[in-house]
Every structure is written in structure tokens, then in C-alpha cells.
Amino acid sequence: MPLREPVICPVSVATGRLGNASGRYEKRLSDLLGLYEDSAAFEAELNRDDRVVYEVTDYRPSADAGDMIFGVTRMSPGRIGREYFFTRGHIHARADRPEIYYGESGQGIMLLESPEGEVRALPIGPRDIVYVPPYWIHRSVNVGDDDLVMTFAYPADSGQDYGIIERSGGMRSRVVASADGWALADNAAYRLRAPAEIDALFARSR
Ligand code: NI
């Protein structure tokens, strides 16, 4: 079997990008329509500047089981109303696949939700590793005043399922500004997943 060639991909903390990346994408405010609590504030901000909320540069050697994808996320600081900028969020299509995030700069929250609706919010700063276990929905939130830059890695055959969040009316908790910096607030539109959907989630992983 031919071996793949080893590579080195430098992480630029200053630009929040991976060198030697094989792919890049970005999400602007307009890509996040309907996800924020305050739709009037969202529209006002969108009309002011449809800016980049986050960008991802990654290296994908393959999609083979046993291989690995890794990259860097750079998230801009900002809020829509009281709610901090966040990534769209997902569960892995093969839901039993894990992920790690390593804080490079800035202050973030890794917001996690189990299929049954348990919520965890883990602060991530420079030199912190957050482990996202299998079966947890995950979303990154920038709660700082500067760019949040994180390196990540996950199994190459994980895939991403974004629909799981849409089907439940969003994630159960929102990360909002408070007197102490940040706090969790209930998402009023959230609907618990039906037992059948949870069973299917656990069943579809192989
Ligand atoms: Ni992921």
C-alpha cells in the first residue's frame, strides 16, 4: 500500500490560519440567519455589515476511516443583542467520532449538548485542550474581545450533521453577556428530541 507523504502545517496565531491547508471556508452573518435569538438585532447588524463571523482552514489528507482531519478556526469577536458570536454547530454524522480543540488565542466557550439535552459549557483559552466526546453536539462561542483561534482534529470519516440543531429549534442553551462576563440562557424555541430520534442517532454510528 502506498504511504501518504508526511506534511507540516504551521499554525499562525496572528492570522488564525493553518499553513499548507488543503481547504478553507468562511461563514458570514448571512450564513447564520435564524440562529440568533434577537432577529431584529441580527437584521440591523446584517444591514450594517455582513461580516465574516468565522473561518476555517484545514488539512484533509483523505476521508478514510482511521485517517485524521485537522485545522484552525478563527472566530471574530462580536454579539447579536446579548448573544455572543458562535459557529453553526453540529454533531458528527458518524456520531461516535470524537474531536479535540486546542486554544491558541482569545477566550471561548465550547458549548456541548447531549442527544438527551444535557448541556455543558467549557471555557477554552490558550493552551487548553477541550475533548469533545462521541455523541455530543458542539458549537464554539467567542466570549472575548479579540479573535478566538483554536486548532482542532477529528477522525477523517466523522462527517457533520447540522440538521440536528435545526430540528430541535436550536441548541438548548445560549451563551449571553452578563455582569460576570458570560452566562447560559435558556433557548425558548428548544424542543427535546423524541426517544426515536435519540435511538436512531446511537444506531447509525458504525
Ligand atoms: Ni465537529
Side-chain angles (χ1 to χ4, degrees), residues 157-197:
D157 64 346
S158 301
Q160 280 99 16
D161 172 0
Y162 298 96
I164 190 168
I165 294 177
E166 287 156 30
R167 287 193 298 276
S168 61
M171 289 184 75
R172 188 169 197 170
S173 296
R174 297 180 179 279
V175 180
V176 300
S178 79
D180 302 327
W182 65 272
L184 291 183
D186 286 342
N187 168 15
Y190 181 77
R191 300 177 300 273
L192 277 171
R193 287 171 199 87
E197 187 181 359

Tab-separated table of all heavy atoms in Angstrom, residues 157-197:
chain	number	residue	atom	x	y	z
A	157	ASP	N	-13.388	10.325	8.907
A	157	ASP	CA	-14.683	9.851	8.413
A	157	ASP	C	-15.837	10.332	9.295
A	157	ASP	O	-16.940	9.791	9.229
A	157	ASP	CB	-14.695	8.313	8.313
A	157	ASP	CG	-14.542	7.639	9.670
A	157	ASP	OD1	-14.169	8.339	10.648
A	157	ASP	OD2	-14.792	6.425	9.765
A	158	SER	N	-15.614	11.371	10.126
A	158	SER	CA	-16.662	11.827	11.056
A	158	SER	C	-17.875	12.391	10.334
A	158	SER	O	-19.013	12.051	10.646
A	158	SER	CB	-16.105	12.909	11.991
A	158	SER	OG	-15.017	12.431	12.745
A	159	GLY	N	-17.640	13.285	9.399
A	159	GLY	CA	-18.747	13.977	8.749
A	159	GLY	C	-19.428	14.936	9.709
A	159	GLY	O	-19.158	14.926	10.913
A	160	GLN	N	-20.316	15.794	9.170
A	160	GLN	CA	-21.027	16.763	10.011
A	160	GLN	C	-22.518	16.752	9.710
A	160	GLN	O	-22.904	16.737	8.550
A	160	GLN	CB	-20.477	18.183	9.800
A	160	GLN	CG	-19.194	18.482	10.544
A	160	GLN	CD	-17.953	18.360	9.680
A	160	GLN	OE1	-18.059	18.329	8.468
A	160	GLN	NE2	-16.790	18.267	10.292
A	161	ASP	N	-23.299	16.724	10.763
A	161	ASP	CA	-24.761	16.803	10.651
A	161	ASP	C	-25.198	18.101	11.331
A	161	ASP	O	-25.145	18.208	12.560
A	161	ASP	CB	-25.388	15.571	11.333
A	161	ASP	CG	-26.900	15.673	11.436
A	161	ASP	OD1	-27.485	16.686	10.980
A	161	ASP	OD2	-27.515	14.745	11.988
A	162	TYR	N	-25.603	19.081	10.507
A	162	TYR	CA	-26.038	20.373	11.045
A	162	TYR	C	-27.535	20.365	11.352
A	162	TYR	O	-28.018	21.145	12.153
A	162	TYR	CB	-25.720	21.495	10.051
A	162	TYR	CG	-24.247	21.651	9.785
A	162	TYR	CD1	-23.645	21.052	8.685
A	162	TYR	CD2	-23.444	22.392	10.653
A	162	TYR	CE1	-22.285	21.192	8.452
A	162	TYR	CE2	-22.088	22.535	10.440
A	162	TYR	CZ	-21.515	21.927	9.328
A	162	TYR	OH	-20.168	22.057	9.101
A	163	GLY	N	-28.257	19.469	10.698
A	163	GLY	CA	-29.709	19.439	10.817
A	163	GLY	C	-30.203	19.120	12.212
A	163	GLY	O	-31.305	19.522	12.584
A	164	ILE	N	-29.378	18.418	12.975
A	164	ILE	CA	-29.829	18.021	14.319
A	164	ILE	C	-30.163	19.250	15.159
A	164	ILE	O	-31.096	19.215	15.978
A	164	ILE	CB	-28.766	17.137	15.024
A	164	ILE	CG1	-29.339	16.540	16.303
A	164	ILE	CG2	-27.483	17.919	15.282
A	164	ILE	CD1	-28.516	15.446	16.918
A	165	ILE	N	-29.447	20.338	14.941
A	165	ILE	CA	-29.705	21.564	15.713
A	165	ILE	C	-30.970	22.259	15.205
A	165	ILE	O	-31.803	22.715	15.992
A	165	ILE	CB	-28.472	22.496	15.653
A	165	ILE	CG1	-27.294	21.829	16.380
A	165	ILE	CG2	-28.780	23.857	16.269
A	165	ILE	CD1	-25.999	22.608	16.336
A	166	GLU	N	-31.125	22.276	13.870
A	166	GLU	CA	-32.330	22.904	13.305
A	166	GLU	C	-33.599	22.176	13.758
A	166	GLU	O	-34.608	22.807	14.084
A	166	GLU	CB	-32.258	22.888	11.777
A	166	GLU	CG	-31.257	23.889	11.220
A	166	GLU	CD	-30.754	23.509	9.833
A	166	GLU	OE1	-31.512	22.863	9.083
A	166	GLU	OE2	-29.604	23.848	9.519
A	167	ARG	N	-33.534	20.846	13.785
A	167	ARG	CA	-34.736	20.063	14.128
A	167	ARG	C	-35.203	20.272	15.568
A	167	ARG	O	-36.368	20.067	15.879
A	167	ARG	CB	-34.480	18.567	13.878
A	167	ARG	CG	-34.447	18.192	12.399
A	167	ARG	CD	-34.501	16.678	12.205
A	167	ARG	NE	-33.368	15.999	12.793
A	167	ARG	CZ	-32.178	15.850	12.186
A	167	ARG	NH1	-31.982	16.356	10.988
A	167	ARG	NH2	-31.195	15.215	12.795
A	168	SER	N	-34.284	20.673	16.453
A	168	SER	CA	-34.669	20.878	17.857
A	168	SER	C	-34.913	22.355	18.170
A	168	SER	O	-35.092	22.719	19.331
A	168	SER	CB	-33.583	20.313	18.782
A	168	SER	OG	-32.358	20.981	18.563
A	169	GLY	N	-34.931	23.194	17.120
A	169	GLY	CA	-35.173	24.623	17.351
A	169	GLY	C	-33.953	25.347	17.899
A	169	GLY	O	-34.074	26.359	18.584
A	170	GLY	N	-32.769	24.824	17.592
A	170	GLY	CA	-31.524	25.414	18.099
A	170	GLY	C	-30.951	24.572	19.218
A	170	GLY	O	-31.516	23.529	19.565
A	171	MET	N	-29.828	25.030	19.767
A	171	MET	CA	-29.284	24.332	20.931
A	171	MET	C	-30.058	24.761	22.175
A	171	MET	O	-30.704	25.800	22.195
A	171	MET	CB	-27.781	24.598	21.076
A	171	MET	CG	-26.962	23.883	19.994
A	171	MET	SD	-25.156	24.052	20.179
A	171	MET	CE	-24.814	22.925	21.554
A	172	ARG	N	-30.017	23.947	23.197
A	172	ARG	CA	-30.852	24.181	24.376
A	172	ARG	C	-30.478	25.469	25.120
A	172	ARG	O	-31.342	26.129	25.709
A	172	ARG	CB	-30.732	22.993	25.326
A	172	ARG	CG	-31.708	23.062	26.460
A	172	ARG	CD	-31.754	21.764	27.235
A	172	ARG	NE	-32.939	21.685	28.053
A	172	ARG	CZ	-33.332	20.582	28.680
A	172	ARG	NH1	-32.615	19.465	28.578
A	172	ARG	NH2	-34.434	20.579	29.397
A	173	SER	N	-29.174	25.791	25.113
A	173	SER	CA	-28.704	26.972	25.828
A	173	SER	C	-28.042	27.958	24.869
A	173	SER	O	-27.483	27.560	23.848
A	173	SER	CB	-27.685	26.580	26.903
A	173	SER	OG	-28.296	25.777	27.881
A	174	ARG	N	-28.134	29.212	25.242
A	174	ARG	CA	-27.448	30.278	24.512
A	174	ARG	C	-26.409	30.888	25.435
A	174	ARG	O	-26.622	30.968	26.645
A	174	ARG	CB	-28.455	31.358	24.090
A	174	ARG	CG	-29.533	30.861	23.124
A	174	ARG	CD	-30.477	31.994	22.750
A	174	ARG	NE	-31.521	31.565	21.811
A	174	ARG	CZ	-31.354	31.451	20.492
A	174	ARG	NH1	-30.175	31.719	19.956
A	174	ARG	NH2	-32.345	31.068	19.718
A	175	VAL	N	-25.281	31.312	24.856
A	175	VAL	CA	-24.239	31.955	25.656
A	175	VAL	C	-24.395	33.467	25.485
A	175	VAL	O	-24.276	33.988	24.368
A	175	VAL	CB	-22.835	31.488	25.219
A	175	VAL	CG1	-21.767	32.174	26.086
A	175	VAL	CG2	-22.723	29.967	25.336
A	176	VAL	N	-24.706	34.130	26.589
A	176	VAL	CA	-25.055	35.555	26.537
A	176	VAL	C	-24.163	36.364	27.470
A	176	VAL	O	-23.556	35.824	28.408
A	176	VAL	CB	-26.539	35.770	26.923
A	176	VAL	CG1	-27.456	35.007	25.961
A	176	VAL	CG2	-26.808	35.347	28.360
A	177	ALA	N	-24.092	37.659	27.200
A	177	ALA	CA	-23.317	38.561	28.056
A	177	ALA	C	-24.040	38.736	29.381
A	177	ALA	O	-25.273	38.771	29.440
A	177	ALA	CB	-23.150	39.911	27.368
A	178	SER	N	-23.257	38.819	30.453
A	178	SER	CA	-23.834	39.068	31.771
A	178	SER	C	-22.858	39.941	32.546
A	178	SER	O	-21.760	40.234	32.071
A	178	SER	CB	-24.058	37.755	32.517
A	178	SER	OG	-22.836	37.294	33.060
A	179	ALA	N	-23.270	40.348	33.730
A	179	ALA	CA	-22.424	41.213	34.556
A	179	ALA	C	-21.092	40.536	34.853
A	179	ALA	O	-20.059	41.185	34.999
A	179	ALA	CB	-23.143	41.566	35.852
A	180	ASP	N	-21.085	39.213	34.917
A	180	ASP	CA	-19.870	38.461	35.250
A	180	ASP	C	-19.069	38.071	34.008
A	180	ASP	O	-18.097	37.340	34.119
A	180	ASP	CB	-20.237	37.189	36.024
A	180	ASP	CG	-21.008	37.507	37.290
A	180	ASP	OD1	-20.731	38.558	37.875
A	180	ASP	OD2	-21.886	36.708	37.669
A	181	GLY	N	-19.504	38.502	32.847
A	181	GLY	CA	-18.794	38.146	31.617
A	181	GLY	C	-19.704	37.380	30.675
A	181	GLY	O	-20.183	37.917	29.704
A	182	TRP	N	-19.999	36.124	31.025
A	182	TRP	CA	-20.920	35.345	30.190
A	182	TRP	C	-21.789	34.468	31.079
A	182	TRP	O	-21.439	34.191	32.230
A	182	TRP	CB	-20.161	34.494	29.172
A	182	TRP	CG	-19.296	33.425	29.783
A	182	TRP	CD1	-18.005	33.565	30.185
A	182	TRP	CD2	-19.673	32.066	30.079
A	182	TRP	NE1	-17.542	32.389	30.707
A	182	TRP	CE2	-18.539	31.450	30.653
A	182	TRP	CE3	-20.848	31.320	29.916
A	182	TRP	CZ2	-18.554	30.110	31.078
A	182	TRP	CZ3	-20.855	29.983	30.334
A	182	TRP	CH2	-19.720	29.395	30.904
A	183	ALA	N	-22.900	34.042	30.534
A	183	ALA	CA	-23.811	33.162	31.261
A	183	ALA	C	-24.590	32.340	30.246
A	183	ALA	O	-24.624	32.678	29.056
A	183	ALA	CB	-24.772	33.993	32.117
A	184	LEU	N	-25.188	31.271	30.718
A	184	LEU	CA	-26.065	30.479	29.865
A	184	LEU	C	-27.496	30.952	30.035
A	184	LEU	O	-27.933	31.239	31.149
A	184	LEU	CB	-25.979	28.993	30.227
A	184	LEU	CG	-24.662	28.275	29.910
A	184	LEU	CD1	-24.771	26.798	30.273
A	184	LEU	CD2	-24.279	28.443	28.451
A	185	ALA	N	-28.220	31.037	28.930
A	185	ALA	CA	-29.636	31.379	28.972
A	185	ALA	C	-30.414	30.298	28.232
A	185	ALA	O	-29.905	29.712	27.272
A	185	ALA	CB	-29.869	32.738	28.317
A	186	ASP	N	-31.627	30.028	28.690
A	186	ASP	CA	-32.455	29.026	28.013
A	186	ASP	C	-32.866	29.524	26.626
A	186	ASP	O	-33.199	30.694	26.457
A	186	ASP	CB	-33.725	28.744	28.823
A	186	ASP	CG	-33.425	27.902	30.052
A	186	ASP	OD1	-32.344	27.269	30.093
A	186	ASP	OD2	-34.266	27.892	30.974
A	187	ASN	N	-32.867	28.622	25.667
A	187	ASN	CA	-33.397	28.908	24.337
A	187	ASN	C	-34.885	28.549	24.348
A	187	ASN	O	-35.246	27.373	24.442
A	187	ASN	CB	-32.629	28.068	23.308
A	187	ASN	CG	-33.290	28.068	21.947
A	187	ASN	OD1	-34.164	28.888	21.668
A	187	ASN	ND2	-32.869	27.146	21.100
A	188	ALA	N	-35.739	29.564	24.255
A	188	ALA	CA	-37.189	29.367	24.386
A	188	ALA	C	-37.757	28.508	23.258
A	188	ALA	O	-38.813	27.886	23.418
A	188	ALA	CB	-37.894	30.726	24.421
A	189	ALA	N	-37.058	28.467	22.128
A	189	ALA	CA	-37.570	27.714	20.973
A	189	ALA	C	-37.159	26.244	20.993
A	189	ALA	O	-37.575	25.464	20.134
A	189	ALA	CB	-37.057	28.365	19.682
A	190	TYR	N	-36.380	25.852	21.987
A	190	TYR	CA	-35.819	24.491	22.003
A	190	TYR	C	-36.892	23.425	22.260
A	190	TYR	O	-37.767	23.595	23.099
A	190	TYR	CB	-34.752	24.397	23.098
A	190	TYR	CG	-34.088	23.046	23.204
A	190	TYR	CD1	-33.120	22.644	22.290
A	190	TYR	CD2	-34.438	22.150	24.228
A	190	TYR	CE1	-32.504	21.413	22.384
A	190	TYR	CE2	-33.820	20.913	24.336
A	190	TYR	CZ	-32.857	20.548	23.409
A	190	TYR	OH	-32.254	19.319	23.506
A	191	ARG	N	-36.787	22.341	21.516
A	191	ARG	CA	-37.662	21.182	21.721
A	191	ARG	C	-36.807	19.950	21.977
A	191	ARG	O	-35.877	19.662	21.209
A	191	ARG	CB	-38.515	20.919	20.472
A	191	ARG	CG	-39.422	22.070	20.075
A	191	ARG	CD	-40.167	21.764	18.785
A	191	ARG	NE	-39.277	21.533	17.656
A	191	ARG	CZ	-38.794	22.508	16.870
A	191	ARG	NH1	-39.102	23.767	17.100
A	191	ARG	NH2	-38.005	22.210	15.858
A	192	LEU	N	-37.118	19.225	23.036
A	192	LEU	CA	-36.379	17.994	23.336
A	192	LEU	C	-36.536	16.993	22.196
A	192	LEU	O	-37.588	16.924	21.560
A	192	LEU	CB	-36.914	17.364	24.632
A	192	LEU	CG	-36.378	17.921	25.950
A	192	LEU	CD1	-37.168	17.335	27.112
A	192	LEU	CD2	-34.885	17.640	26.120
A	193	ARG	N	-35.490	16.219	21.940
A	193	ARG	CA	-35.572	15.186	20.897
A	193	ARG	C	-36.452	14.023	21.361
A	193	ARG	O	-36.429	13.656	22.543
A	193	ARG	CB	-34.166	14.663	20.577
A	193	ARG	CG	-33.369	15.654	19.805
A	193	ARG	CD	-31.901	15.285	19.638
A	193	ARG	NE	-31.241	16.530	19.289
A	193	ARG	CZ	-30.781	17.403	20.188
A	193	ARG	NH1	-30.812	17.115	21.463
A	193	ARG	NH2	-30.277	18.557	19.813
A	194	ALA	N	-37.181	13.473	20.416
A	194	ALA	CA	-38.014	12.310	20.716
A	194	ALA	C	-37.108	11.098	20.938
A	194	ALA	O	-36.035	11.008	20.336
A	194	ALA	CB	-38.970	12.048	19.560
A	195	PRO	N	-37.539	10.170	21.781
A	195	PRO	CA	-36.735	8.963	22.030
A	195	PRO	C	-36.335	8.240	20.741
A	195	PRO	O	-35.213	7.735	20.644
A	195	PRO	CB	-37.670	8.092	22.886
A	195	PRO	CG	-38.521	9.089	23.606
A	195	PRO	CD	-38.726	10.226	22.647
A	196	ALA	N	-37.230	8.232	19.755
A	196	ALA	CA	-36.913	7.538	18.496
A	196	ALA	C	-35.746	8.211	17.774
A	196	ALA	O	-34.900	7.527	17.179
A	196	ALA	CB	-38.145	7.516	17.590
A	197	GLU	N	-35.711	9.529	17.837
A	197	GLU	CA	-34.607	10.240	17.174
A	197	GLU	C	-33.287	9.968	17.894
A	197	GLU	O	-32.237	9.814	17.268
A	197	GLU	CB	-34.871	11.750	17.131
A	197	GLU	CG	-33.836	12.480	16.295
A	197	GLU	CD	-34.022	13.998	16.218
A	197	GLU	OE1	-34.995	14.519	16.809
A	197	GLU	OE2	-33.185	14.632	15.578
